[in-house]
């Protein structure tokens, strides 16, 4: 019998965490949880309710509304992954826009938001057999995870990947906007007081600037097989 493990993948934005996590989950028959989608969904909720815009942020009202936010993932077989459901509405495409990316780091700094989401994430991973990606998975959510990966790539490469993805979805963004957002989020994610992005001491660092998806996947699958 093979034992189920917990795989924690952390790293900067657009380092291919979700691509790798989805590949691993499919191969191993594990659940995949994209925790960034949860922070993005709360950001979308804040935008829809007028709590945040370019020159205004009503943090207290958002904190008071947190109990009205229900988040869940729903597996869509036709897509091969689970989409984010915010209060019974599929928001998978709305949460990926540059506008949401522009506000999400401010929302992810709020202690009450993090406490709510970390609790939900720990509950989802109770039975192991899970691949979870984010910024604090190996350090805060699952410090006992059997395999921890810390992904990195240079900012130019990451911005290009995110830009190509947005353009292919029909978004009208400039490369400069995307690059600035990547650099700004790197700074906020690594400098916030609560659960900043740091490499867990026992995490394996992967810089995939010059690696293909296939090379990266087989490298990580070997690591998993050694542990299982
Ligand atoms: O992975 P992503 O780029 O979709 O994540 C969006 C933002 O959410 C990211 O800028 C930081 C925040 N985040 C976080 O603080 N902790 C997590 N576990 C996941 C994401």
């Amino acid at each position: 019998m093979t034992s189920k493990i917990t795989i924690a993948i952390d790293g900067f934005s657009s380092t291919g965490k979700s691509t790798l996590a989805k590949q691993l989950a499919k191969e191993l028959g594990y659940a995949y949880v994209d925790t960034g989608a949860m922070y993005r969904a709360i950001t979308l909720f804040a935008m829809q309710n007028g709590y945040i815009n370019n020159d205004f942020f009503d943090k207290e009202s958002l904190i008071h509304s947190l109990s009205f936010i229900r988040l869940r993932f729903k597996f869509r077989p036709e897509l091969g992954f689970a989409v984010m459901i915010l209060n019974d509405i599929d928001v998978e495409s709305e949460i990926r826009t540059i506008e949401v990316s522009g506000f999400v780091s401010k929302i992810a700094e709020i202690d009450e938001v993090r406490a709510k989401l970390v609790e939900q994430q720990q509950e989802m991973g109770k039975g192991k057999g899970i691949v979870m990606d984010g910024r604090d998975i190996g350090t805060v959510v699952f410090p006992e995870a059997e395999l921890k990966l810390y992904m990195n790539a240079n900012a130019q490469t990451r911005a290009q990947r995110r830009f190509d993805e947005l353009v292919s979805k029909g978004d009208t963004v400039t490369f400069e906007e995307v690059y600035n957002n990547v650099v700004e989020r790197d700074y906020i994610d690594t400098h916030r007081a609560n659960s900043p992005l740091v490499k867990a001491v026992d995490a394996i660092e992967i810089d995939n600037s010059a690696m293909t998806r296939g090379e990266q996947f087989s490298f990580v699958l070997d690591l998993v097989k050694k542990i299982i």
Side-chain angles (χ1 to χ4, degrees):
M1 199 185 85
T2 53
S3 56
K4 290 196 167 188
I5 63 167
T6 300
I7 304 177
I9 307 183
D10 290 304
F12 290 97
S13 64
S14 306
T15 42
K17 298 186 297 295
S18 69
T19 303
L20 175 65
K22 281 178 198 160
Q23 287 173 314
L24 287 170
K26 193 170 173 205
E27 178 73 24
L28 301 165
Y30 281 16
Y32 161 56
V33 176
D34 168 5
T35 63
M38 301 170 82
Y39 289 93
R40 286 172 178 273
I42 294 196
T43 305
L44 182 68
F45 177 91
M47 290 162 68
Q48 288 171 338
N49 286 278
Y51 298 146
I52 194 165
N53 62 37
N54 284 330
D55 29 45
F56 172 82
F57 184 17
D58 182 358
K59 204 162 133 178
E60 290 311 313
S61 293
L62 174 62
I63 292 170
H64 282 111
S65 304
L66 284 177
S67 56
F68 300 111
I69 303 180
R70 277 172 292 110
L71 302 179
R72 65 188 166 90
F73 289 96
K74 186 174 180 204
F75 187 73
R76 283 269 150 83
E78 72 280 16
L79 300 174
F81 63 89
V83 296
M84 172 47 70
I85 309 290
L86 164 64
N87 292 341
D88 300 323
I89 294 172
D90 178 343
V91 291
E92 184 60 30
S93 52
E94 283 105 312
I95 61 170
R96 308 287 167 192
T97 60
I98 189 91
E99 289 77 22
V100 170
S101 298
F103 294 128
V104 66
S105 290
K106 285 203 182 78
I107 302 294
E109 279 182 319
I110 303 173
D111 291 349
E112 290 82 352
V113 168
R114 300 205 74 83
K116 176 185 168 90
L117 295 188
V118 168
E119 190 187 343
Q120 203 175 334
Q121 290 152 10
Q122 287 173 334
E123 184 64 30
M124 291 190 274
K126 262 192 339 202
K128 295 189 178 272
I130 194 163
V131 188
M132 194 174 276
D133 78 23
R135 305 292 187 286
D136 58 344
I137 312 305
T139 50
V140 176
V141 182
F142 298 124
E144 309 298 331
E146 288 84 353
L147 178 62
K148 297 180 187 177
L149 303 172
Y150 185 80
M151 319 259 300
N152 207 348
N154 63 59
Q156 183 80 18
T157 306
R158 292 187 284 126
Q160 189 66 51
R161 287 176 187 160
R162 183 54 65 105
F163 176 71
D164 293 344
E165 193 183 316
L166 288 167
V167 169
S168 74
K169 285 181 187 162
D171 226 316
T172 48
V173 282
T174 63
F175 176 77
E176 199 186 357
E177 257 181 296
V178 178
Y179 180 83
N180 289 341
N181 174 255
V182 162
V183 173
E184 189 193 5
R185 280 200 293 147
D186 285 358
Y187 184 84
I188 302 178
D189 291 348
T190 49
H191 287 80
R192 66 171 172 241
N194 186 343
S195 317
L197 169 64
V198 282
K199 180 182 166 299
V201 279
D202 50 349
I204 295 165
E205 182 155 4
I206 301 177
D207 186 320
N208 61 19
S209 305
M211 250 180 168
T212 67
R213 288 177 178 189
E215 283 165 352
Q216 173 174 270
F217 179 53
S218 52
F219 172 73
V220 175
L221 199 56
D222 279 348
L223 294 175
V224 173
K225 284 178 182 160
K226 277 182 201 143
I227 297 169
I228 291 177

